[in-house]
Amino acid sequence: MLTLFHHPLYASCRFIRLTFGEYGEEIALIEERPWARRKEFLALNPAGTIPVLLAEGDHAIVGATVIAEYVDETRGALQRQRRLMAEDSMARAEIRRLVDWYLVKMDNEVTKHLVRERALKPLMGGEGGGSPDSTAIRAARANVRQHLKYTNWLAATRDWLAGPRLSYADVAAAGALSVLDYLGEIEWREFEAARDWYSRMKSRPSFRSLINDRVRGLSPASHYADLDF
Amino acid sequence: MLTLFHHPLYASCRFIRLTFGEYGEEIALIEERPWARRKEFLALNPAGTIPVLLAEGDHAIVGATVIAEYVDETRGALQRQRRLMAEDSMARAEIRRLVDWYLVKMDNEVTKHLVRERALKPLMGGEGGGSPDSTAIRAARANVRQHLKYTNWLAATRDWLAGPRLSYADVAAAGALSVLDYLGEIEWREFEAARDWYSRMKSRPSFRSLINDRVRGLSPASHYADLDF
């Protein structure tokens, strides 16, 4: 069984867990606190970032998109209709663009700030903790709507976010939005197409383990585990 | 001929120019100032970031790693010995890890800050310009050495940065380091193996167009174009 070093509130880590879930492959999870800069972990990944996958032969595969490409090459390519990547190069580029959108752009503008200020700082103590920065929270919240609006547009104009089939784009977006949903930061009522799409994602068996995630000291929003929200 | 929207001092854009150079394919360059958020450009890429490649059929391929994968699928795979990607999945993951290292990690810790403070702010005017932030410059400079040290270690222990063959890892690292070299921010004397590797990169025909880059108002360091530095 492969092992994933992850944290339950990192969008990029949820993306990888959902991916293995979609392919029906169980993985072992080790919760890593990257801010602690644990020596043994830095030996695996000198960048100190998560996720890191310990793959076949205990080789470390570092970073969400790198892991996703690895999983596609070693698993996805054999999955036919369930593959989370397209065959066509242009369609692949669109999927990758959206994965970057949710895991990099939205993370930098919204997700990582809300997670750090609201959930991680109380856990970090002397390793970067302290009081939440209300300016950072306000700035992130001002950006949430733009990303929901864009997601809503994608969901309203395509069957799935990147086109006619479920892909890594949906898995990345759902991973990221599920973090914001845990924190109760999404006004779903205003974004009907996005909500319908997210409801479809949430009903998938791959989502079950995320729905059961609980972070110490911070309960999820009341509707977090509801399939009808 | 394909068209690349780029800026001469963005590491990620240099990475793509070098890639096409390595494959001997000429591309048209359009200099884009992403901070201006030009309407026609946002229609191509709503994220507003560069590089963007206008590929076959004028489809926009967005982002350096997405473009690199596209170029590998449509060009690289036919290149045999000159291909910048490995065949083996584990080796591919190592190449991708290092591309992310130089284009994301080093960019966030060093490159983009020095470029913005020293080169772009004077050009930006009312769109984010102003006086250079000396704290940001100092922080970035403190991080340069760590990245050079790591590059030196890679160059000293492997033929090329990711292994036995020239790969995207070398092209990404050389693109990023060439930006810092333009700004005169690298003390090559202290990092002999890195210098030897960079000297090999700089001698390649793909490097010629970078060597001729000049940014308005900022001359390159005196040794920038020298193959013997």
Side-chain angles (χ1 to χ4, degrees), chain A residues 46-47 56 59 61-62 65-66 69-70 73-74 89-90 92-93 96-97 100-101 105 150, chain B residues 46-47 56 59 61-62 65-66 69-70 73-74 89-90 92-93 96-97 100-101 105 150:
Chain A
E56 287 76 9
H59 286 284
I61 314 275
V62 170
T65 57
V66 179
E69 298 289 350
Y70 178 81
E73 291 167 7
T74 56
S89 287
M90 211 67 87
R92 292 161 73 83
R96 290 178 176 126
R97 177 182 79 85
D100 275 356
W101 185 290
K105 182 177 169 64
Y150 189 56
Chain B
E56 287 77 8
H59 286 284
I61 314 275
V62 170
T65 55
V66 179
E69 298 288 350
Y70 178 81
E73 291 167 8
T74 57
S89 286
M90 211 65 89
R92 292 162 73 82
R96 290 179 176 125
R97 177 183 78 84
D100 275 357
W101 185 289
K105 184 178 168 63
Y150 189 56

Side-chain angles (χ1 to χ4, degrees), chain B residues 52-131:
Chain B
V52 171
L53 180 73
L54 271 195
E56 287 77 8
D58 281 351
H59 286 284
I61 314 275
V62 170
T65 55
V66 179
I67 296 171
E69 298 288 350
Y70 178 81
V71 172
D72 182 62
E73 291 167 8
T74 57
R75 274 86 173 156
L78 313 166
Q79 293 276 346
R80 297 166 179 272
Q81 287 310 309
R82 293 173 58 211
R83 184 176 186 182
L84 295 167
M85 260 301 219
E87 301 281 334
D88 170 69
S89 286
M90 211 65 89
R92 292 162 73 82
E94 175 65 357
I95 291 169
R96 290 179 176 125
R97 177 183 78 84
L98 290 173
V99 169
D100 275 357
W101 185 289
Y102 289 99
L103 300 188
V104 181
K105 184 178 168 63
M106 192 170 94
D107 214 58
N108 285 331
E109 292 173 2
V110 179
T111 325
K112 75 174 180 195
H113 303 289
L114 291 172
V115 168
R116 188 185 57 238
E117 300 305 327
R118 293 197 46 209
L120 301 185
K121 272 191 172 173
L123 304 174
M124 291 168 91
E127 291 155 337
S131 329

